[in-house]
Amino acid sequence: GDSVTQMEGPVTLSEEAFLTINCTYTATGYPSLFWYVQYPGEGLQLLLKATKADDKGSNKGFEATYRKETTSFHLEKGSVQVSDSAVYFCALRNQAGTALIFGKGTTLSVSS
Amino acid sequence: DVKVTQSSRYLVKRTGEKVFLECVQDMDHENMFWYRQDPGLGLRLIYFSYDVKMKEKGDIPEGYSVSREKKERFSLILESASTNQTSMYLCASSTPVGRGGGYTFGSGTRLTVV
């Protein structure tokens, strides 16, 4: 079945460092891909999405490009801030599906 | 501001109790979902519903049931709570895939079964 694999954390960075969180997927057809963020004590919020190959989603300085050839959707940010500390989830929804399938989440901790 | 509201933020129940977790959305969304979130396991889908009185099993439906009598409300029921159901429960709603399908999540209910 469809699945999402993302790098295990925690990821610990200093402020202004470069961030990459790897995400790869297994799915038939052409799924839509998402990154969600969960701040402490809150529910998940959509960070960015891409619905077709080579699309780049971006928001709040974060970017991810839908790479069908490598079945990947890696999350990047050029300069992280303390306020970016959160859990990040990669997710997919296949063409026939209604529900999102999530990765296990990656905890990011940024220190000043 | 559109929202998904879960009735309780924290809940403590005893083993064997029947537990109701309530979720209400004000966005007129067709789809609603219940996930549980556990450390190291991410989010796992329990049940979802794409219309009133309709329900579909997710990946881990055992020990749970759901009810959707009105479009805005989706209830998760633990028929006889057990300690392995201690978890964070997240409700979400979305439009159909053909209309973007974006999810909105509630803030979660942290359930402890003792």
Side-chain angles (χ1 to χ4, degrees), chain B residues 34-84:
Chain B
W34 276 105
Y35 289 86
R36 65 177 281 178
Q37 181 180 7
D38 300 288
L41 297 177
L43 275 73
R44 293 179 291 167
L45 181 64
I46 304 171
Y47 269 96
F48 67 98
S49 168
Y50 53 88
D51 202 351
V52 176
K53 296 192 185 294
M54 304 302 289
K55 61 184 179 183
E56 294 283 345
K57 292 180 180 179
D59 298 319
I60 52 164
E62 297 79 17
Y64 304 94
S65 62
V66 291
S67 172
R68 192 160 181 208
E69 296 296 318
K70 294 184 178 182
K71 189 175 186 179
E72 67 270 20
R73 185 180 297 270
F74 192 38
S75 302
L76 179 69
I77 303 158
L78 286 65
E79 297 289 344
S80 177
S82 64
T83 54
N84 63 13

Side-chain angles (χ1 to χ4, degrees), chain A residues 34 36 38 40-46 49 87 89 93-95 97-105, chain B residues 9 31 33 35 37 40-43 45 48 50 88 90 94 97 100-108:
Chain A
F34 305 82
Y36 280 81
Q38 185 179 36
E42 298 184 13
L44 276 70
Q45 303 173 24
L46 178 64
K49 67 177 183 180
V87 182
F89 292 92
R93 187 184 59 237
N94 64 37
Q95 290 171 290
T98 298
L100 287 176
I101 298 168
F102 288 87
K104 294 183 178 181
Chain B
R9 195 66 186 266
N31 302 324
F33 309 85
Y35 289 86
Q37 181 180 7
L41 297 177
L43 275 73
L45 181 64
F48 67 98
Y50 53 88
M88 170 69 87
L90 293 171
S94 79
V97 171
Y103 272 43
T104 301
F105 278 87
S107 296

